[in-house]
Amino acid sequence: MSHFISHVATLEIPVTNLEKSIEFYIDILGVQLEFKGEKNAMLTFKAKGVPTFYLVQTEEAQGTSFTNTNNGIIHSIIDFYTPKLEEFYYWLKEKNIHVGTLNIHPENGLGGFGFKDPDGNLLSATNVLHSGQ
C-alpha cells in the first residue's frame, strides 16, 4: 500500500477574537498573514511555508489541550521548535504571555514549556528535534 500523506498542511485553531489572535500569532510566532476573511485567517511561517495556521472564529474557546491520564500532565497538541528555548521563554514572560514551567533536562539541555494564546489555547515550545526534522 502506498502512502498518500506527505506532511501536515494546516493546523486549525479556534479563536474568539480574530483580530487579537492574528496579532498574537504574528508577534509571537513570526508568521505572516496569507489570507483574512470575515471570520477566519490563514497564517504561515515565512521560511518553511508548511504547515499553515487557520484561525477560525468561534463563539466559545474550545481549547487545544488534553490531560494525560497516565500522569495528569496537561499537554498541548502543537509543539513549536526553537533552538533558543530559554531565550524564548523569558521573552514571552517579558511580554506578559501566560507561560508554564520551563522544564530542561540537566544532562542534555533538552526540554520545553507551555504557553497560552489569547483564548487560552495551550501551545508548547521545545528544543527537541526528531529524526528527519
Side-chain angles (χ1 to χ4, degrees):
M1 179 177 205
S2 65
H3 296 280
F4 295 100
I5 305 298
S6 64
H7 62 275
V8 174
T10 303
L11 300 171
E12 299 190 21
I13 301 172
V15 301
T16 57
N17 183 321
L18 186 62
E19 292 298 329
K20 187 175 182 180
S21 294
I22 289 170
E23 290 174 17
F24 173 88
Y25 282 91
I26 288 173
D27 181 37
I28 300 305
L29 300 181
V31 292
Q32 62 189 14
L33 182 65
E34 292 292 323
F35 163 83
K36 182 180 177 298
E38 188 177 319
K39 303 273 185 183
N40 54 32
M42 188 72 72
L43 306 169
T44 189
F45 285 105
K46 297 170 189 171
K48 305 270 184 203
V50 292
T52 57
F53 299 93
Y54 187 54
L55 305 181
V56 181
Q57 191 161 312
T58 181
E59 293 296 318
E60 63 181 74
Q62 299 173 10
T64 56
S65 63
F66 63 95
T67 301
N68 181 330
T69 56
N70 295 312
N71 57 23
I73 294 174
I74 299 174
H75 292 261
S76 72
I77 59 169
I78 304 170
D79 286 347
F80 294 101
Y81 172 76
T82 176
K84 299 177 179 180
L85 187 65
E86 287 184 76
E87 289 178 44
F88 184 53
Y89 178 81
Y90 291 110
W91 180 74
L92 290 176
K93 285 187 72 115
E94 286 176 12
K95 296 179 83 52
N96 294 315
I97 303 298
H98 182 273
V99 295
T101 303
L102 177 59
N103 299 300
I104 298 179
H105 193 281
E107 292 179 20
N108 60 23
L110 299 177
F113 65 90
F115 63 100
K116 293 186 176 181
D117 78 357
D119 282 292
N121 287 312
L122 182 62
L123 308 168
S124 294
T126 184
N127 63 352
V128 176
L129 280 178
H130 300 282
S131 179
Q133 293 181 318

